[in-house]
């Protein structure tokens, strides 16, 4: 149970870090605001059309007498919107990280630099970083959809569907939310998705202690936007522990060694390496 508190502690430390480095908060707000507007428009449209969608999907209930038709379709509408909200919470982080990739990667590097020691860098051009992030996010989304469909079906079970299933839903959301956030720091360390998932499962309570409170906070409008920069900072601190660089809970036995992905020094006389361009090049590395 100690790991639950440690995970939550990293979330708090991340918010404190951006609070002490205010400019990073400003940079981190922009991608979240853009994503929030897009998601809000989609959810509002879904809310207005949810009744018609439910009626279209249940033509067999057209001849049902009142109040059974209304209760049945109302229950399905609530479940459908809850599933959409569940998917929105999960994918919001992935989309925001994709939109703000250059900024969040630079923020994560700044957190590493403030902790001392080596600062791993991917050494990849921006377009390849975006491709890797999009590919991994798509793989996570497939897993989330499968869990979402399963939980949606379990929601029809009396009592269990209204008590246990929502708790499981928040745990699943918190786990994958934590994965998306720690991916920013772990990708720079050469730790791929197939390594990250077992690593997070081996410290499940630590992962849930970080991800579940953040998932609950993300349900409040606008909160996700303001917490994202600190969430990335806290996830970087937690990634340092998971890879054996931190001291909070000690290194994880069998944790993959963090790879420094900086390209080796060029040989004398060799042409200089191409300089990365794009938005990330304009973001200061530290303040």
């Amino acid at each position: 149970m100690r790991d639950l508190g440690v995970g939550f502690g990293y979330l708090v430390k991340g918010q404190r870090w951006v609070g002490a480095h205010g400019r990073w908060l400003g940079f981190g707000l922009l991608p979240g605001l853009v994503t929030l507007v897009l998601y809000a428009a989609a959810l509002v449209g879904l809310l207005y059309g949810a009744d018609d969608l439910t009626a279209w999907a249940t033509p067999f209930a057209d001849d049902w007498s009142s109040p059974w038709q209304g209760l049945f379709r109302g229950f399905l509408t609530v479940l459908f919107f809850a599933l959409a909200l569940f998917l929105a919470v999960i994918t919001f982080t992935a989309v925001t990280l994709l939109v703000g990739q250059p900024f969040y990667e630079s923020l994560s590097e700044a957190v590493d630099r403030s902790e001392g020691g080596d600062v791993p860098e991917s050494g990849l051009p921006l377009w390849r970083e975006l491709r890797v992030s999009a590919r991994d996010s798509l793989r996570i989304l497939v897993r989330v959809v499968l869990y979402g469909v399963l939980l949606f079906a379990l929601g029809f079970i009396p009592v269990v569907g209204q008590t246990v299933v929502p708790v499981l839903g928040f745990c699943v959301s918190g786990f994958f939310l934590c994965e998306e956030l720690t991916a920013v720091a772990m990708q720079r360390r050469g730790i791929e998705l197939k390594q990250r998932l077992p690593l997070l499962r081996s410290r499940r309570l630590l992962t849930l202690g970080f991800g579940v409170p953040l998932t609950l906070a993300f349900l409040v409008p606008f909160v996700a936007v303001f917490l994202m920069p600190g969430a990335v900072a806290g996830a970087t601190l937690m990634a340092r522990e998971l890879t054996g660089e931190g001291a909070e809970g000690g290194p994880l036995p069998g944790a993959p060694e963090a790879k420094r992905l900086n390209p080796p020094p060029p040989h004398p006389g060799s042409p200089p390496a191409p300089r990365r361009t794009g938005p990330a090049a304009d973001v200061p590395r530290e303040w």
Side-chain angles (χ1 to χ4, degrees), residues 185-258:
M186 290 193 181
Q187 282 178 359
R188 291 190 293 105
R189 289 162 166 79
I191 303 175
E192 300 180 357
L193 178 63
K194 62 182 179 181
Q195 296 172 295
R196 295 198 300 268
L197 290 175
L199 190 59
L200 292 172
R201 290 192 195 104
S202 63
R203 294 287 290 275
R204 189 172 281 107
L205 291 180
L206 178 71
T207 304
L208 295 179
F210 183 92
V212 172
L214 194 59
T215 300
L216 294 171
F218 276 16
L219 294 177
V220 182
F222 302 107
V223 169
V225 175
F226 291 97
L227 292 186
M228 270 298 293
V232 172
T236 300
L237 295 172
M238 192 172 78
R240 291 174 61 87
E241 175 180 339
L242 290 170
T243 55
E245 300 173 47
E248 258 323 290
L252 178 67
E257 182 181 356

Side-chain angles (χ1 to χ4, degrees), residues 13-267:
K13 287 181 180 179
Q15 303 304 322
R16 288 177 177 172
W17 192 94
V18 295
H21 302 77
R23 290 190 177 182
W24 285 112
L25 178 61
F27 277 115
L29 290 179
L30 296 177
L33 286 172
V34 173
T35 308
L36 179 65
V37 171
L38 295 176
Y39 271 65
L43 288 174
V44 169
L46 180 63
L47 183 62
Y48 277 101
D51 291 337
D52 294 335
L53 183 61
T54 303
W56 172 82
T58 57
F60 55 86
D62 288 342
D63 299 328
W64 288 13
S65 61
S66 180
W68 305 115
Q69 182 194 78
L71 290 175
F72 176 71
R73 285 181 171 172
F75 176 68
L76 288 183
T77 299
V78 171
L79 282 181
F80 180 72
F81 190 77
L83 175 62
L85 190 61
F86 169 78
L87 293 177
V89 170
I90 293 298
T91 58
F92 178 87
T93 301
V95 174
T96 303
L97 291 175
L98 190 62
V99 172
Q101 172 76 19
F103 302 105
Y104 292 134
E105 183 178 332
S106 297
L107 189 157
S108 180
E109 290 178 9
V111 174
D112 274 327
R113 187 173 292 108
S114 69
E115 294 296 304
D118 293 338
V119 179
E121 297 180 7
S122 66
L124 299 175
L126 179 60
W127 68 269
R128 287 192 61 186
E129 291 179 352
L130 292 175
R131 188 181 70 177
V132 171
S133 296
R135 180 198 64 194
D136 289 348
S137 295
L138 182 60
R139 291 175 178 175
I140 291 298
L141 179 60
V142 171
R143 289 174 169 85
V144 170
V145 169
L146 293 176
Y147 277 110
V149 171
L150 176 61
L151 292 172
F152 180 78
L154 293 176
F156 289 95
I157 301 176
V159 182
V160 174
Q162 293 75 49
T163 55
V164 177
V165 171
V167 174
L168 291 177
F170 283 120
C171 290
V172 171
S173 301
F175 180 88
F176 287 113
L177 182 60
C178 184
E179 192 286 325
E180 290 283 358
L181 290 165
T182 54
V184 177
M186 290 193 181
Q187 282 178 359
R188 291 190 293 105
R189 289 162 166 79
I191 303 175
E192 300 180 357
L193 178 63
K194 62 182 179 181
Q195 296 172 295
R196 295 198 300 268
L197 290 175
L199 190 59
L200 292 172
R201 290 192 195 104
S202 63
R203 294 287 290 275
R204 189 172 281 107
L205 291 180
L206 178 71
T207 304
L208 295 179
F210 183 92
V212 172
L214 194 59
T215 300
L216 294 171
F218 276 16
L219 294 177
V220 182
F222 302 107
V223 169
V225 175
F226 291 97
L227 292 186
M228 270 298 293
V232 172
T236 300
L237 295 172
M238 192 172 78
R240 291 174 61 87
E241 175 180 339
L242 290 170
T243 55
E245 300 173 47
E248 258 323 290
L252 178 67
E257 182 181 356
K259 303 175 184 177
R260 184 173 179 82
L261 298 182
N262 293 328
H267 294 288

